[in-house]
Amino acid sequence: MNPVVIAVAITGSVPRKKDNPAVPVTPAEQIESTHEAFEAGASLVHIHVRNDDESPSSDPERFAAVQEGVEKHCPGMIVQFSTGGRGRDPSARGSALSLKPDMASLSTGSVNFPTIVYENHTTLVTDLATKMREFGIRPEIEIFDLSHLHGAKRLVEAGLIDERPHVQFVMGVQNALPAEEHLLDLLLGELRRVLPKATWTAAGIGRNQAPVMEWALKRGADAVRTGLEDNIRISKDRLAKSNAELVSLAVQAVERHGRRVATPTEARTALGLQSRA
Ligand code: MG
């Protein structure tokens, strides 16, 4: 079996530092937290940036600072920017793509979130995909609903993304797809039918992080995702100390399944990216 890429989502789009002080907010904190996670085994970092008051930021300078720090301190690590929505003006969601990160997240449809509609109008999706193609950025397709797989298929047919995209199933967001094992089978079955060459991973939100990772590894996922964006707890009674601590648990899960953690070079090969050597 191929080695498993460990992706770490270091900082989300919901303010959480008051709930867990380990959530990194400033670029310096984000670089340090990413470096620890890299040393622990992560080979891909998913990045949201924030203002110092923790409000979501679209400031390309912040993205650039984190990107530069990660490239300097974490050689070969895959840098993935979020183009996700919560609290950001849709027109600003692609504002950092000109920095040419290796990858960027791309949602291909709308869905209900806990308190908002996560709106991804087809015009916005097409615009973001077009920018990613222009800047040579590989998208990670975020699947919050079955219909989003068909949204991705339409982008392939339009020539905006290639036939071997990297796809992430997101499970356990309140009001969206529940984290249930049989639903992962359903999603995977549809993925194999509509995008047979795709690589894939799955993310479980909150207490679903560990079980979704298990289900994904059981089914031969190319990557797993962890990090404080999705989950701030080790257990009901204990907060995670760092992104690195969550990555260490992912390493253990990968090894329990008789697989090996991918190096940055292997991660780049697996996800169809150029080497940075
Ligand atoms: Mg995100």
Side-chain angles (χ1 to χ4, degrees):
M1 280 258 237
N2 299 333
V4 183
V5 178
I6 296 182
V8 62
I10 52 168
T11 309
S13 53
V14 179
R16 290 184 120 171
K17 206 171 181 78
K18 67 172 178 4
D19 301 319
N20 184 339
V23 176
V25 171
T26 65
E29 289 172 351
Q30 291 187 301
I31 293 161
E32 190 184 348
S33 186
T34 304
H35 183 239
E36 290 169 10
F38 176 76
E39 302 260 284
S43 52
L44 185 161
V45 58
H46 172 81
I47 300 167
H48 291 251
V49 294
R50 299 184 149 278
N51 300 308
D52 288 344
D53 67 358
E54 262 208 277
S55 59
S57 171
S58 296
D59 182 358
E61 280 185 28
R62 289 231 153 191
F63 276 104
V66 182
Q67 179 183 30
E68 192 189 327
V70 171
E71 285 174 358
K72 180 169 168 204
H73 297 287
C74 313
M77 191 177 205
I78 297 168
V79 172
Q80 181 187 94
F81 288 172
S82 173
T83 64
R86 266 179 270 209
R88 294 167 76 191
D89 187 324
S91 64
R93 284 170 48 184
S95 61
L97 294 176
S98 59
L99 295 165
K100 301 183 180 173
D102 299 297
M103 298 184 82
S105 60
L106 178 63
S107 296
T108 52
S110 303
V111 69
N112 286 331
F113 268 10
T115 58
I116 60 160
V117 177
Y118 180 33
E119 216 177 305
N120 291 290
H121 193 286
T122 46
T123 310
L124 173 67
V125 175
T126 302
D127 178 49
L128 288 170
T130 304
K131 277 206 177 99
M132 290 182 201
R133 189 181 58 171
E134 178 189 336
F135 291 120
I137 300 166
R138 259 183 93 64
E140 176 180 275
I141 308 294
E142 308 300 340
I143 304 296
F144 293 89
D145 187 77
L146 185 70
S147 62
H148 299 177
L149 275 176
H150 292 267
K153 169 83 171 165
R154 283 193 293 275
L155 294 177
V156 173
E157 286 166 352
L160 288 173
I161 60 176
D162 70 53
E163 286 184 331
R164 191 179 170 271
H166 184 53
V167 166
Q168 172 160 264
F169 302 113
V170 186
M171 310 186 86
V173 175
Q174 192 193 334
N175 303 329
L177 273 176
E180 290 180 27
E181 193 168 7
H182 74 277
L183 288 181
L184 183 58
D185 286 325
L186 192 149
L187 291 162
L188 261 180
E190 193 64 357
L191 179 71
R192 298 291 182 232
R193 202 176 69 81
V194 301
L195 296 167
K197 295 179 182 163
T199 53
W200 71 278
T201 181
I205 304 305
R207 62 190 161 76
N208 303 300
Q209 187 165 67
V212 170
M213 192 180 296
E214 288 293 320
W215 306 338
L217 286 167
K218 240 163 85 176
R219 289 163 176 78
D222 300 282
V224 292
R225 162 153 154 167
T226 191
L228 294 165
E229 168 171 354
D230 300 346
N231 167 38
I232 56 172
R233 298 191 165 275
I234 296 294
S235 66
K236 211 171 100 205
D237 310 316
R238 187 159 92 67
L239 292 174
K241 290 195 199 82
S242 61
N243 277 302
E245 185 178 27
L246 292 171
V247 170
S248 302
L249 293 178
V251 171
Q252 289 170 23
V254 167
E255 289 170 353
R256 266 201 309 279
H257 285 266
R259 295 181 66 187
R260 187 167 65 72
V261 173
T263 65
T265 302
E266 289 169 335
R268 283 175 179 275
T269 304
L271 302 187
L273 291 157
Q274 306 271 337
S275 151
R276 282 220 180 234

